[in-house]
């Protein structure tokens, strides 16, 4: 499984490969290692985050957001040009084509598992059953906790 996380030591985003049976995740930038709890994996199922001791993980699509934004921009620019040229059918054709491209991309990409607390992303996990989709209430709880623990809370100078 691949783990993308923010290193607690150097705070850089790193990608690490984790094999079942190993007990550490290593940063590619600063070579620091994060110890993994012994009960984090149960067979192929990830029970808790490897980077932080959090057991609340959620499943989401591994959709590349920059591709989604590029598809939307192409749709807006292309349909606006066609509309300006009074090509009505072409305008709707561009809009439907970009919507279809977005749908196909969404259907082709796989899922990933993500940690609410530290934002670590897990790819290449075969066992995703038992994990829930994103819940805004849980996300907000962790966001508020991070804001309270921050030395410079937003809005205060």
């Amino acid at each position: 499984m691949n783990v993308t996380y923010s290193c607690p030591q150097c705070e850089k985003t790193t990608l690490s490969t984790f094999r079942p049976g190993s007990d550490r995740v290593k940063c590619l930038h600063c070579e620091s290692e994060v110890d993994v709890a012994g009960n984090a994996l149960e067979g192929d199922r990830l029970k808790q985050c490897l980077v932080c001791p959090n057991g609340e993980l959620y499943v989401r699509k591994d959709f590349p957001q920059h591709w989604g934004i590029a598809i939307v921009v192409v749709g807006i620019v292309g349909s606006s040009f066609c509309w300006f040229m009074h090509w009505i059918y072409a305008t709707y054709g561009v809009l439907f084509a970009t919507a279809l491209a977005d749908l196909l991309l969404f259907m082709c990409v796989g899922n990933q598992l993500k940690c609410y607390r530290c934002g670590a992303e897990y790819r290449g996990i075969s066992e995703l059953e038992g994990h829930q989709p994103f819940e805004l209430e849980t996300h907000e709880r962790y966001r508020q906790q991070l804001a309270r623990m921050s030395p410079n809370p937003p809005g205060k100078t």
Side-chain angles (χ1 to χ4, degrees):
M1 110 179 49
N2 294 326
V3 183
T4 304
Y5 67 99
S6 178
C7 177
Q9 298 296 321
C10 66
E11 298 181 354
K12 292 183 180 177
T13 302
T14 187
L15 174 67
S16 180
T17 302
F18 181 79
R19 306 226 187 287
S22 90
D23 59 348
R24 292 193 169 95
V25 178
K26 187 175 184 179
C27 175
L28 298 176
H29 301 287
C30 67
E31 304 290 322
S32 69
E33 295 180 339
V34 176
D35 291 330
V36 174
N39 60 349
L41 280 174
E42 185 179 273
D44 286 340
R45 187 174 188 277
L46 189 64
K47 288 176 45 179
Q48 71 181 37
C49 182
L50 302 178
V51 180
C52 69
N54 184 24
E56 292 188 292
L57 307 169
Y58 65 94
V59 177
R60 62 171 266 182
K61 279 292 202 181
D62 195 12
F63 191 84
Q65 292 180 349
H66 56 279
W67 287 8
I69 291 171
I71 290 171
V72 169
V73 167
V74 165
I76 290 171
V77 170
S79 64
S80 295
F81 175 76
C82 291
W83 186 261
F84 176 75
M85 298 300 289
H86 300 286
W87 300 335
I88 304 302
Y89 294 119
T91 301
Y92 290 114
V94 168
L95 291 174
F96 287 130
T98 54
L100 181 63
D102 191 44
L103 177 67
L104 290 175
L105 180 63
F106 182 79
M107 292 175 69
C108 291
V109 297
N111 290 329
Q112 72 174 354
L113 199 59
K114 192 163 182 173
C115 176
Y116 279 107
R117 182 184 290 167
C118 69
E121 299 174 345
Y122 300 93
R123 292 174 179 86
I125 298 175
S126 59
E127 184 66 39
L128 291 175
E129 283 76 29
H131 293 287
Q132 300 297 319
F134 179 79
E135 293 179 5
L136 185 59
E137 181 180 352
T138 307
H139 170 73
E140 186 64 20
R141 185 176 73 233
Y142 282 105
R143 191 187 71 79
Q144 290 291 328
Q145 180 184 21
L146 182 65
R148 282 192 303 272
M149 292 172 44
S150 174
N152 298 324
K156 294 191 178 185
T157 55

